Amino acid sequence: MNTRLLIDNTIKILIWTSALITVGVLVWILLYILVNGMGELSWNFLTTIPRGEDGGIFPMIISTLYMIFLTVVISTPIGVSAAIYLVEYAKPGKIVKLIRFATECLAGIPSIIYGLFGMIFFVTVLELSFSILAGALTLSIMVLPTIIRTTEEALKAVPFSYREASLGLGASKLRTIVKIVLPTSISGILTAVILSIGRIVGETAAVYLTAGMVPRIPTSFMSSGRTLSVHLYILAKEGISLPKAYSTATILIIIVFLINITANKLGNTLKKHKKA
Amino acid sequence: MKKDIRIKKFYEKTVETWFLLCAIIAILFLGIISIYLFLEGTPAIFKIGLKEFILGSKWMTSAEIFGIFPMIIASIYGTLGAIVLGVPIGIFTAIFMAEIAPEPIVKIVRPAIELLAGIPSVIYGFFGLIVIVPIIDNIFGNGGNSLLAAIIILGIMILPTIVNISESAIREVPKSYKEGSLALGASQIQTIFRVILPAARSGILAGVVLGIGRAIGETMAVILVAGNTPLLPESITDRVRTMTSNIALEMSYAFGLHQEALFATGVILFIFIILINVALHLLVFRSEK
């Protein structure tokens, strides 16, 4: 009996230790980067262009914003429409299974493969050259599974009685979707968009091979641009400036932080809806 | 009036078709990606020779010798190492979240894991470069950039995937299993390891397989810490180059057969990913049965 207790307690300690390691690693990473990066942060850093070891990250911020905007504009309508089809129209069968399988596979493909594909297809075959547009098109395919899946969950959370009431009043199926289902699930759809913004901001490999890495302010969607993540990669890889790398990493962490908080807030509203 | 209804019906049908087309885009792009990758990559494999390409242990671009065996091995070692490191910690953390931790602690740990999942891979790489690599250098005096550094960073990166999926698998085990076991006099720990974990097995395995996919596909974080020498590693402290790093490092300046060989590396990586996805599909399918 005593050995049993001993074994149980040892395992319990292992379990607590594992959880501590998981959280500890996160705290370690965050503190290390924030402590070293916060000092260098200044308004100047955010609003000037880089000059060798000096200067700021203004062009990268603009490129990242362009990339987010264009990717969201391309992928959201497609992803939401696909989710609407899967939840509201599709009857279980081969097509749905195939779509599910394809979405799963797309989610499992590593970003470097997306980068390779984007480089052949968008950059070379469609002759978009290394540009924000080529990067955004590549990223749009990449975030599609996230948008479809999250929106599907949101649509499924809308109670059936809502649809029945609307249809019962004589509204058409499409009208029910547009006027009842979509407005009810709007916070879920926004969560999908926020989650994809997180992936767009954090992506390096796919962007680097499709949008290039020119550290200039992009003048249009057809110019090449260097996003914040690519900038951090280059700073770290080439060892250009450690302080600048710390502060760029800090900015990225702050963005990820904000994205997580927003997604959580939206998730909570969705839960409240479910209960109502 | 009749005409009005017909127009309305036509309109409804058009929009429905649009929804269907959007849903099919996923299939379409999976197809296009596979086709283009194989079209660009397979000619090089035939030019170089399948055996020379996959089993060749030398990668010398100037001499047009392209063998990716060391990189395949590095990818496999890196992934296996990450699994050895990340899976026990991940599963134990999942048990902690689902069975052991009091509710207030769960409320603190869950956002932490979400944040861990949201941190961009380049930040993991940067952290590895400035923190983990110097520590390894201090211990082994090997410069620090090594397979070991890659394993540690990948092990951390797959944690959230394994924790999240294992935790939901554990939570899905019917309460009656647990109650039955406890009522028969088993302790909490016995119940977890003898009853709950076996019941959640296929879900946990799915998490591990997804972790494998993430580890083998990771690029930027690995480049920053692994040293990138395209040689067969003899020990865990050697510098290595994975398949993903090979593509990202050389793609920007490659042309001709060299560029094709990089696409071919992508094809081999893609085949690994397909195998992992099929394994995942079988697992999920079996658990649904």
Side-chain angles (χ1 to χ4, degrees), chain B residues 7-160:
Chain B
I7 290 173
K8 231 179 173 177
K9 267 213 166 129
F10 173 75
Y11 178 63
E12 291 253 336
K13 207 73 204 157
T14 317
V15 178
E16 186 182 337
T17 315
W18 157 260
F19 290 149
L20 173 64
L21 285 179
C22 286
I24 287 178
I25 279 185
I27 307 176
L28 194 73
F29 270 108
L30 184 65
I32 299 183
I33 290 175
S34 319
I35 291 168
Y36 267 95
L37 199 63
F38 278 89
L39 274 183
E40 291 287 317
T42 37
I45 299 182
F46 287 118
K47 275 182 222 162
I48 299 161
L50 182 65
K51 207 179 137 206
E52 281 78 7
F53 183 64
I54 293 182
L55 296 177
S57 57
K58 273 198 190 120
W59 178 270
M60 285 171 3
T61 51
S62 48
E64 300 228 316
I65 299 175
F66 302 105
I68 60 163
F69 188 63
M71 301 159 201
I72 296 179
I73 294 298
S75 284
I76 293 176
Y77 280 179
T79 306
L80 280 182
I83 293 300
V84 169
L85 193 71
V87 166
I89 298 178
I91 293 180
F92 274 15
T93 308
I95 296 173
F96 179 80
M97 298 284 286
E99 296 290 330
I100 308 272
E103 196 54 32
I105 296 190
V106 171
K107 274 195 180 138
I108 300 171
V109 179
R110 192 181 310 286
I113 292 167
E114 275 166 14
L115 203 53
L116 210 54
I119 292 180
S121 57
V122 65
I123 296 229
Y124 283 106
F126 179 56
F127 175 77
L129 182 68
I130 50 173
V131 177
I132 306 290
V133 166
I135 293 177
I136 294 176
D137 185 33
N138 269 338
I139 300 172
F140 298 100
N142 62 343
N145 285 302
S146 58
L147 178 59
L148 179 61
I151 286 175
I152 293 174
I153 290 304
L154 289 175
I156 298 173
M157 289 181 74
I158 62 171
L159 271 180

